[in-house]
Amino acid sequence: MILCLGCLASLINGGYKAGADSVTTDAYILSSLRAADGGSVSSAELSQQLGIGRAVLRARIEDLCELGYEIEASPHIGYRLKKSPDLLHAEDLRA
């Protein structure tokens, strides 16, 4: 795997979740999607857990898709991680 050094900017742009073990928003999203083990996670659930609006969540999901993550969005069902990129991104190190 190759580390995408340009993706380190997402550590800054992704924001942080409050708490002793702060993680970036992107890492939390990826961790939640992976924990669903092929299932879906609702945008309402993710937004509430992260303390962000759904529009901000959607923007973070779109950014992850641009990094090569294949994330399916289904109305009334939520988001599902279909595939991760072959590259190792900074968010993978934190998730």
Side-chain angles (χ1 to χ4, degrees):
M1 291 188 151
I2 301 168
L3 176 60
C4 177
L5 295 177
C7 300
L8 291 176
S10 73
L11 289 172
I12 298 166
N13 296 331
Y16 289 90
K17 180 173 171 44
D21 296 321
S22 293
V23 297
T24 68
T25 300
D26 292 354
Y28 188 86
I29 291 168
L30 290 172
S31 179
S32 296
L33 293 173
R34 287 184 177 122
D37 197 30
S40 295
V41 180
S42 76
S43 62
E45 182 181 333
L46 281 173
S47 295
Q48 184 178 19
Q49 290 173 351
L50 289 165
I52 60 175
R54 290 186 189 181
V56 174
L57 176 62
R58 180 67 192 160
R60 301 307 317 145
I61 295 285
E62 288 174 3
D63 287 346
L64 288 169
C65 289
E66 288 178 14
L67 291 174
Y69 295 93
E70 192 174 325
I71 301 172
E72 178 180 71
S74 299
H76 309 291
I77 296 174
Y79 295 107
R80 183 171 69 97
L81 181 63
K82 293 178 69 175
K83 186 178 176 187
S84 294
D86 290 334
L87 294 174
L88 179 62
H89 294 284
E91 294 310 324
D92 288 318
L93 299 174
R94 298 191 57 107

